[in-house]
Amino acid sequence: MSLGNRSFIPVKDVGIGAIELYFPQNYVDQNDLEKYNNVSSGKYTIGLGQQQMGFCSDNEDVVSISLTVTRQLLQTYQIPTDSIGCLVVGTETMIDKSKSVKTSLMELFPGNTDIEGVDIKNACFGGAQALLHAIDWVTVNHPVDQRNAIVVVADIAIYEEGPARCTGGAGAIAFLVCPDAAIPIDRQFSACHMKNTWDFFKPITSTASEYPVVDGSLSLASYLEAVKTSYTNFVSKVARHATGIDGLNSFDAVFLHSPFTKMVQKGLAVMHYTDSCLRHKDQNCNGIDNKLDENDKAGMTKMIELSAQVWKEKTDPFLVFNRRIGNMYTPSLFAQLLAYLSSEKSSTVEEKNILFFAYGSGLASAIFPGRVRQTANLKKIRGVAVKAVKRLDYRQKYSAEEFTETLRKRESFLHSNEFPKTPSESALFPNTYFLSSMDKMYRRTYKLHEEPTQQNGNGVYH
């Protein structure tokens, strides 16, 4: 049997055609954490650039938040479940060493079992790889049967007591990947930097734990190395295959993975400085005699100073979710896209160029460009983004003591392998999935927390 000599019409502008964001209803204020942890005032709020941190109670896990955001994507954009041929999940939050989160999401696609894809894992980079994989799938498969893909990026980031705990967070984002998208990703120009490091990892040990092992100084150095190298590779690739691109000047917005917002500022500073050096290879590009070093405090201070205008215009305004939810791991990069889409900057008629830097410890990183096109459904996407920003104000604030106790409950649940006797269903947005039971074989069951939606137009999760 031969299936050759078939002609299909190639698809164009494959990328993000719909977006939905979920974050937990619970948050703790970083000012309160500073006092509770007895650290200097401003250590988290000024030093790291964080304001609030979202967290999940013991009744939410990576499957429940993925179910919530996927269901919401399907409902908000009225996506027929039989139109999906690929579903990929990017996450590093693991509740099973074998069974994919994706398999649980199949509950939302009754009658459609022909859906390719599983989970992709590498720290915070898994989400970016899942998106790139889905774009490849749609490019190859959509011409055959006109089906699209969904990408889910979801994580719950928590740390053991100590200096890293303030850099947690939680969230999930779902994308529809399709041709003629509002936000095409120019996949052919993606450039990577991959390397074996031990800056952040989650080893399997004799005691179950949600907490990572972190080498703080190596993690920061690895992030900046990845920015510099992947951006250099990206500029080199673009120079070989395209014209009219002038580094960061060609992009309306620049998004970088955000462990905390001050790290994003440093990453952008390195990117901007690298851009300048590549543009002036034979000249003094930094305005001072000595070459700047991103791992040197004085050098980094100078880089930040040189990149201040780019930071103000192209990155800083779009970190609202990152500042107020924290490090969501895989969704952290793409939350900035949502914030950008909620702004007036994305509403102009002309097409906009945007740039993504994805990073995951261990390490994996990539830079890839995208565009924002004024398609028919961009207005719908922008409306979803605006509601998501408003929804930040409808969360429930908890004290630092209550936050700490919640993490103790999660840890106790993990170690005891017994289902919580008093799950906190009330601490959920309406129409949010929650963990309702777990049997003696550790099989988890989920239910939908249904509650009448407030019809006030203020972005309450509907």
Side-chain angles (χ1 to χ4, degrees):
M1 180 178 70
S2 173
L3 297 178
N5 301 319
R6 303 294 178 108
S7 61
F8 300 106
I9 300 174
V11 293
K12 297 181 180 179
D13 291 322
V14 177
I16 299 168
I19 314 176
E20 188 60 79
L21 166 66
Y22 171 74
F23 48 81
Q25 192 181 38
N26 321 310
Y27 80 92
V28 61
D29 192 274
Q30 292 283 7
N31 285 295
D32 294 342
L33 275 182
E34 288 174 345
K35 296 173 184 176
Y36 179 79
N37 292 332
N38 197 28
V39 299
S40 58
S41 177
K43 185 175 179 65
Y44 304 155
T45 52
I46 299 174
L48 299 180
Q50 298 301 111
Q51 297 172 354
Q52 300 162 347
M53 181 168 59
F55 65 94
C56 294
S57 187
D58 55 359
N59 63 334
E60 290 189 274
D61 62 19
V62 66
V63 171
S64 70
I65 66 176
S66 297
L67 283 167
T68 297
V69 78
T70 305
R71 176 180 181 270
Q72 193 62 29
L73 181 80
L74 294 170
Q75 291 195 343
T76 300
Y77 296 91
Q78 299 182 332
I79 300 170
T81 55
D82 60 0
S83 71
I84 302 303
C86 179
L87 172 59
V88 193
V89 176
T91 183
E92 65 168 275
T93 304
M94 188 168 62
I95 58 172
D96 191 285
K97 290 180 287 189
S98 176
K99 182 176 168 63
S100 285
V101 173
K102 180 269 177 90
T103 60
S104 296
L105 298 183
M106 290 303 297
E107 297 285 347
L108 300 175
F109 298 85
N112 181 12
T113 62
D114 184 15
I115 299 181
E116 189 176 318
V118 289
D119 294 1
I120 296 178
K121 181 188 74 174
N122 189 88
C124 305
F125 186 77
Q129 190 63 63
L131 176 61
L132 296 176
H133 173 75
I135 290 168
D136 293 343
W137 189 93
V138 171
T139 301
V140 172
N141 289 278
H142 191 278
V144 178
D145 61 5
Q146 288 75 56
R147 292 202 297 167
N148 298 319
I150 286 178
V151 174
V152 178
V153 295
D155 275 302
I156 297 172
I158 54 177
Y159 295 82
E160 64 183 345
E161 288 190 88
R165 175 158 281 188
C166 61
T167 61
I173 294 177
F175 305 111
L176 175 72
V177 177
C178 60
D180 194 28
I183 307 156
I185 302 299
D186 294 319
R187 175 74 169 94
Q188 67 273 26
F189 292 117
S190 64
C192 299
H193 173 62
M194 307 283 179
K195 185 178 179 180
N196 181 27
T197 65
W198 292 91
D199 56 320
F200 171 110
F201 52 102
K202 297 178 178 178
I204 297 174
T205 64
S206 58
T207 303
S209 176
E210 290 188 287
Y211 305 140
V213 177
V214 184
D215 183 333
S217 59
L218 178 59
S219 183
L220 300 181
S222 297
Y223 180 100
L224 296 178
E225 175 192 320
V227 171
K228 184 176 182 179
T229 308
S230 61
Y231 185 70
T232 301
N233 293 341
F234 168 73
V235 172
S236 176
K237 178 179 281 191
V238 169
R240 294 195 305 270
H241 301 291
T243 58
I245 300 296
D246 183 24
L248 297 182
N249 293 332
S250 300
F251 297 96
D252 193 55
V254 183
F255 314 129
L256 295 89
H257 169 63
S258 179
F260 48 88
T261 57
K262 277 300 176 82
M263 197 67 224
V264 175
Q265 186 173 21
K266 291 180 179 180
L268 181 73
V270 170
M271 193 180 291
H272 177 265
Y273 177 72
T274 303
D275 205 19
S276 299
C277 290
L278 290 172
R279 189 179 291 115
H280 305 94
K281 290 181 179 179
D282 301 322
Q283 303 175 31
N284 179 12
C285 65
N286 54 43
I288 59 175
D289 293 334
N290 297 323
K291 184 179 180 181
L292 300 182
D293 183 353
E294 63 269 16
N295 295 311
D296 173 72
K297 186 174 182 180
M300 176 53 68
T301 299
K302 184 63 177 179
M303 287 184 188
I304 290 174
E305 178 186 327
L306 292 169
S307 62
Q309 193 61 32
V310 177
W311 167 253
K312 180 180 178 180
E313 294 178 357
K314 301 187 178 187
T315 302
D316 181 56
F318 315 121
L319 289 163
V320 56
F321 294 111
N322 306 88
R323 286 192 173 95
R324 297 186 62 182
I325 300 174
N327 186 2
M328 295 170 273
Y329 287 163
T330 51
S332 289
L333 169 65
F334 302 107
Q336 294 162 57
L337 172 62
L338 270 161
Y340 172 76
L341 293 170
S342 74
S343 71
E344 290 301 320
K345 200 171 185 183
S346 67
S347 65
T348 54
V349 175
E350 68 272 15
E351 184 173 284
K352 298 291 188 178
N353 293 322
I354 54 179
L355 189 66
F356 299 85
F357 166 70
Y359 177 81
S361 294
L363 62 77
S365 64
I367 286 184
F368 49 92
R371 289 170 283 130
V372 177
R373 302 168 61 234
Q374 300 301 316
T375 61
N377 64 331
L378 182 63
K379 183 178 180 180
K380 177 72 171 178
I381 297 173
R382 294 189 72 244
V384 167
V386 169
K387 284 186 176 182
V389 173
K390 291 180 179 179
R391 197 159 63 243
L392 288 168
D393 294 330
Y394 285 81
R395 295 176 297 165
Q396 184 173 341
K397 180 180 177 180
Y398 286 82
S399 69
E401 290 82 2
E402 290 170 321
F403 162 70
T404 302
E405 179 59 28
T406 297
L407 294 198
R408 288 198 186 113
K409 286 182 179 180
R410 290 186 67 90
E411 189 174 348
S412 176
F413 172 35
L414 191 64
H415 291 167
S416 67
N417 291 320
E418 293 183 2
F419 185 71
K421 295 180 180 179
T422 56
S424 308
E425 184 178 347
S426 60
L428 296 168
F429 281 119
N431 294 326
T432 299
Y433 282 93
F434 66 98
L435 178 63
S436 61
S437 67
M438 185 176 73
D439 65 19
K440 293 181 179 180
M441 295 180 67
Y442 311 113
R443 293 177 294 195
R444 300 185 177 208
T445 304
Y446 302 89
K447 289 184 179 179
L448 192 64
H449 171 65
E450 295 183 283
E451 186 176 298
T453 302
Q454 298 180 37
Q455 300 296 325
N456 56 15
N458 287 321
V460 173
Y461 207 82
H462 51 279

